[in-house]
């Protein structure tokens, strides 16, 4: 059975030495001293190792089942969910007024990585709840907040987000679910929603659904959509639960992965719903928390891969196969361990350099969300809006590739279910699809985010990279291995943006055909920037005589690998972008 140990040392390095969170002027960050964050992450790591990770294979094997209208979760999930409740983990970064601990979002992000790596399917029950809480916090009335938030933060109740319907996914303008107003101010919700993660289960007393539906008078397309709170059980004025609402589970989807999470078809048959936010502003209300939700999915992409990587490393060190070409490394044994072979090292270095860069990138994104929300910094809000499709799209694409690469280390044994490696690849695959498929993320990046606010935020990103290079150009230890490759990659990114500016207006397909390559090009530059920042911190620690010099030496070697072997992919992506739309659009539809 696969194992998992939280990478606590690397997390603390990013928080304390790269991002220097406790020195930040963001409200609440002064409390994030290493001893404080270390205690939280250490405790999360214990729960992940001892409670969640052992249930990962159980959830995959057993899945969820529908019995007499109620979804039953796998064995052990209820006890694990109780442990999450008892520890108050769902409320880490939520307001104290409703039972949370009001810690910064970066803390919840770091803890979230640990829990996702240990058991992604299980963590989704509270993860979806967290998203629903955010929407109610942003748009709910005081009465709605008082009614729902304390119970949801405590995980007595959980939450969902209901967008997709059988005939429409991304194009929500085609949505058919109807909301009919009633005399008492409520609405009757009628329609069907599909792919509803954690749509029903036996872990909590109530499930609070946030449902997009069309109310009369809103017009066609997305303009007519409103957002409604639809509880599974009606809530009395004193907070107690009443009758079952007219919402039911049609079936549980049979999926490629995340078997431990119930992905439901939800039927609404005149269910009682309550308007959340303004009428006909449902799309805006639902997407209020989209930066956080998509950052969370990007995190899932690399967090699952982290667990796969750990097991691949252990196998490569243990499995004896062949002899090193330079001479036996294990002369007393019948063969050498896999890890002596250069191609295995290449595979593992691809994984390690991506994962550590992805962690730093995601944590940095979380600090931008904190700066935007806690300090009211509009520039930070603009920057994270620009980077969100990159975090979601690039990290989940590469996260899935990394999980597959980890499976490859096992050879044929990786294809056998008892090793558990296939679960990582199957679970990671969904991250590329949900919360906006990655092709849509690329279109959003090129079609909307680059031009937002007159291109101000992408120009700010370019200036950030240039500024880092200028500030450190006299740093000889950084220059050749980190600054020069970063400068070249950044120039490729700027050249791609210039191509879109010169060609996108007269031929929009030229920009859209290159959007996916641009998203990956941007992602590589972001990880290059993170590796340059990590290298600077590692060199500073070594110069200061840090006692764990091996950690910093390893960090530098890993970073040099990324800069030398991965970052040059920006040139390939640029060449593909410059080829324009003609190769992509050359065939008529009937020729496929």
């Amino acid at each position: 059975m696969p194992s998992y140990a939280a990478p606590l040392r690397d997390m603390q390095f990013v928080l304390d030495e790269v991002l220097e969170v406790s020195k930040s002027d963001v409200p609440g960050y002064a409390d994030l001293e290493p001893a404080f964050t270390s205690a939280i992450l250490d405790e999360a790591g214990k729960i992940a190792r001892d409670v969640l990770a052992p249930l990962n294979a159980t959830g995959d094997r057993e899945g969820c089942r529908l019995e007499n209208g109620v979804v039953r979760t796998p064995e052990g999930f209820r006890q694990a969910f109780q442990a999450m409740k008892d520890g108050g983990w769902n409320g880490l970064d939520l307001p104290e007024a409703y039972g949370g601990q009001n810690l910064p979002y970066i803390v919840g992000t770091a803890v979230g990585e640990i829990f996702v790596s240990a058991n992604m399917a299980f963590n989704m029950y509270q993860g979806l709840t967290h998203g629903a809480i955010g929407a109610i916090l942003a748009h709910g009335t005081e009465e709605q907040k008082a009614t729902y938030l304390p119970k949801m933060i405590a995980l007595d109740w959980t939450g969902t987000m209901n967008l997709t319907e059988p005939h429409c996914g991304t194009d929500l303008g085609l949505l058919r679910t109807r909301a009919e107003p009633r005399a008492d101010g409520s609405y009757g919700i009628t329609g069907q929603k599909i792919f509803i993660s954690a749509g029903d289960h036996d872990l909590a007393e109530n499930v609070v659904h946030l449902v997009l539906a069309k109310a009369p008078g809103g017009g066609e397309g997305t303009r007519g959509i409103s957002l409604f709170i639809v509880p599974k059980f009606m809530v009395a004025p004193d907070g107690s639960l009443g009758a079952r609402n007219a919402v039911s589970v049609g079936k549980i989807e049979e999926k490629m992965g995340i078997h431990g999470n119930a992905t439901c078809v939800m039927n609404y048959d005149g269910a009682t719903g309550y308007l959340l936010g303004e009428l006909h502003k449902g799309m805006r209300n639902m997407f209020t928390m989209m930066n956080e939700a998509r950052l969370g999915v990007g995190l899932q992409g690399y967090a699952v891969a982290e667990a796969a990587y750990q097991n691949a490393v252990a196998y490569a060190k243990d499995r004896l196969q062949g002899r090193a070409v330079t001479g036996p490394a294990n002369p007393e044994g019948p063969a050498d361990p896999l890890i002596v072979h250069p191609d295995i090292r290449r595979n593992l270095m691809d994984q390690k350099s991506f994962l550590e860069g992805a962690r730093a990138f995601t944590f940095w994104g979380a600090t931008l969300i904190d700066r935007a929300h806690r300090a009211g910094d509009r520039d930070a809000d603009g920057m994270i809006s620009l980077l969100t499709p990159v975090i979601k799209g690039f990290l989940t694409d590469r996260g899935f590739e990394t999980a597959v690469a980890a499976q490859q280390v096992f050879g044929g044994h990786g294809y056998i279910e008892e090793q558990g490696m296939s679960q990582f690849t199957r679970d990671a695959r969904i991250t590329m699809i949900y919360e906006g498929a990655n092709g849509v993320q690329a279109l959003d990046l090129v079609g909307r985010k680059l031009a937002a606010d007159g291109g101000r935020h992408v120009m700010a990103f370019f200036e950030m990279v240039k500024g880092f290079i200028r500030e450190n150009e006299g740093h000889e230890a950084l220059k050749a291995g980190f600054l020069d490759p970063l400068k070249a990659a950044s120039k490729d990114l700027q050249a791609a943006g210039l191509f879109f500016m010169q060609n996108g207006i007269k031929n929009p397909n030229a920009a859209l055909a290159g959007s996916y390559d641009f998203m990956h090009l941007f992602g590589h530059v972001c990880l290059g920037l993170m590796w340059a920042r990590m290298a600077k911190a590692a060199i500073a620690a070594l110069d200061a005589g840090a006692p764990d010099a091996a950690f910093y030496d390893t960090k530098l070697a890993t970073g040099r690998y990324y800069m030398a072997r991965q970052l040059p992919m920006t040139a390939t992506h640029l060449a593909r972008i410059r080829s324009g739309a003609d190769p992509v659009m050359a065939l008529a539809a009937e020729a496929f």
Side-chain angles (χ1 to χ4, degrees):
M1 178 185 296
S3 62
Y4 168 73
L8 301 178
R9 179 65 182 90
D10 198 61
M11 288 181 159
Q12 290 296 151
F13 169 70
V14 175
L15 292 173
D16 302 329
E17 300 174 66
V18 180
L19 299 176
E20 297 183 309
V21 290
S22 65
K23 298 178 182 178
S24 170
D25 61 353
V26 174
Y29 270 47
D31 296 330
L32 303 184
E33 293 289 344
F36 179 66
T37 55
S38 177
I40 294 172
L41 297 181
D42 184 63
E43 190 60 32
K46 291 176 183 176
I47 293 175
R49 180 195 63 210
D50 300 335
V51 179
L52 303 185
L55 293 176
N56 199 36
T58 301
D60 185 57
R61 183 175 61 251
E62 294 184 10
C64 298
R65 62 190 189 278
L66 183 60
E67 294 181 350
N68 300 318
V70 177
V71 173
R72 303 297 181 189
T73 52
E75 182 179 356
F77 271 42
R78 295 187 71 178
Q79 292 84 349
F81 198 74
Q82 186 62 49
M84 303 306 287
K85 291 177 63 175
D86 293 344
W89 291 103
N90 190 50
L92 271 183
D93 54 359
L94 294 170
E96 289 181 285
Y98 302 105
Q101 299 176 49
N102 203 39
L103 293 175
Y105 180 71
I106 180 60
V107 179
T109 298
V111 168
E113 180 195 321
I114 293 171
F115 290 162
V116 170
S117 290
N119 195 325
M120 174 178 164
F122 174 86
N123 193 66
M124 288 172 65
Y125 290 101
Q126 65 188 46
L128 271 295
T129 303
H130 200 283
I133 289 169
I136 295 173
L137 270 172
H139 302 292
T141 65
E142 291 305 313
E143 181 181 359
Q144 288 172 335
K145 293 176 186 177
T147 298
Y148 295 102
L149 294 184
K151 292 286 190 179
M152 294 174 73
I153 289 175
L155 291 179
D156 293 331
W157 302 348
T158 62
T160 71
M161 312 288 267
N162 284 232
L163 291 78
T164 307
E165 299 185 3
H167 57 283
C168 71
T170 301
D171 190 357
L172 290 172
L174 301 176
L175 185 144
R176 294 176 185 163
T177 299
R178 313 303 300 182
E180 296 296 332
R182 294 173 175 170
D184 64 357
S186 67
Y187 288 77
I189 310 298
T190 301
Q192 186 179 77
K193 298 289 185 177
I194 64 169
F195 304 157
I196 308 307
S197 300
D200 194 75
H201 51 80
D202 56 2
L203 303 177
E205 302 166 351
N206 203 5
V207 181
V208 180
H209 302 287
L210 300 191
V211 183
L212 286 180
K214 287 189 174 181
E220 295 300 316
T222 59
R223 291 174 297 175
I225 295 176
S226 300
L227 183 60
F228 299 89
I229 297 175
V230 186
K232 174 182 176 180
F233 289 100
M234 302 302 295
V235 182
D238 64 357
S240 62
L241 298 182
R244 176 74 183 256
N245 205 352
V247 53
S248 60
V249 180
K251 70 170 183 176
I252 301 175
E253 301 287 4
E254 295 186 18
K255 311 184 297 295
M256 177 179 175
I258 54 170
H259 296 154
N261 194 270
T263 304
C264 301
V265 173
M266 304 300 301
N267 295 321
Y268 294 87
D269 301 304
T272 299
Y274 305 95
L275 182 66
L276 178 60
E278 296 180 58
L279 190 65
H280 305 140
K281 302 293 185 183
M283 290 295 292
R284 185 187 69 183
N285 297 346
M286 177 66 89
F287 288 107
T288 295
M289 309 307 292
M290 195 53 67
N291 286 344
E292 292 184 23
R294 288 179 171 166
L295 183 142
V297 175
L299 181 150
Q300 287 180 331
Y302 82 80
V304 172
E306 167 68 33
Y309 162 75
Q310 290 186 16
N311 287 276
V313 170
Y315 188 82
K317 291 179 178 179
D318 181 68
R319 173 74 169 177
L320 302 181
Q321 196 79 35
R323 288 293 189 188
V325 294
T326 54
N330 179 34
E332 303 303 318
D336 291 335
L338 281 172
I339 202 164
V340 305
H341 302 302
D343 191 61
I344 295 293
R345 292 290 188 96
R346 172 204 58 79
N347 187 336
L348 294 175
M349 286 296 283
D350 281 348
Q351 296 175 53
K352 181 177 175 63
S353 63
F354 163 71
L355 290 167
E356 293 179 15
R359 176 175 298 115
F361 184 24
T362 303
F363 284 17
W364 174 47
T367 66
L368 291 174
I369 289 176
D370 274 331
R371 182 167 290 280
H373 291 178
R374 288 175 167 254
D377 189 327
R378 296 183 64 183
D379 289 336
D381 188 57
M383 182 63 72
I384 190 57
S385 294
L386 169 70
L387 297 177
T388 290
V390 184
I391 291 172
K392 197 283 183 184
F394 180 69
L395 296 191
T396 59
D397 276 354
R398 292 297 310 277
F400 175 71
E401 291 172 9
T402 299
V404 172
Q407 185 184 29
Q408 186 75 11
V409 171
F410 284 70
H413 291 283
Y415 204 66
I416 303 300
E417 287 296 332
E418 69 180 270
Q419 292 289 345
M421 295 305 290
S422 74
Q423 183 185 353
F424 295 127
T425 64
R426 290 184 284 104
D427 286 355
R429 183 65 181 87
I430 186 57
T431 64
M432 302 161 69
I433 299 172
Y434 64 13
E435 207 63 59
N438 285 356
V440 175
Q441 301 299 322
L443 296 179
D444 178 51
L445 175 63
V446 170
R448 294 180 61 246
K449 298 300 175 62
L450 289 185
D453 295 327
R456 172 182 171 186
H457 306 299
V458 72
M459 296 306 296
F461 178 83
F462 290 142
E463 187 54 41
M464 181 189 307
V465 176
K466 291 177 184 176
F468 181 86
I469 294 170
R470 282 196 304 267
E471 290 166 13
N472 297 283
E473 57 189 358
H475 198 314
E476 289 303 318
L478 270 182
K479 183 170 172 42
F482 293 92
L483 298 185
D484 290 347
L486 178 60
K487 182 185 292 186
S490 179
K491 287 181 177 178
D492 287 343
L493 183 62
Q494 293 175 68
L498 181 62
F499 176 85
F500 291 151
M501 289 176 59
Q502 293 173 339
N503 296 275
I505 295 178
K506 60 184 178 183
N507 182 10
N509 281 343
L512 299 185
S515 61
Y516 214 93
D517 279 285
F518 187 81
M519 180 177 73
H520 275 251
L521 199 169
F522 208 151
H524 277 298
V525 173
C526 288
L527 261 64
L529 176 61
M530 292 300 102
W531 270 115
R533 293 177 66 180
M534 287 191 284
K536 182 178 179 179
I539 292 169
L542 288 170
D543 289 346
D548 51 345
F551 171 85
Y552 297 105
D553 287 335
T554 299
K555 183 66 66 177
L556 287 169
T558 306
R560 291 189 189 103
Y561 179 91
Y562 191 90
M563 306 304 272
R565 299 279 301 222
Q566 295 294 323
L567 196 57
M569 281 299 298
T570 59
T572 299
H573 290 301
L574 176 60
R576 288 164 56 141
I577 289 167
R578 282 175 166 165
S579 73
D582 289 347
V584 175
M585 306 300 291
L587 294 182
E590 57 270 16
F592 284 91

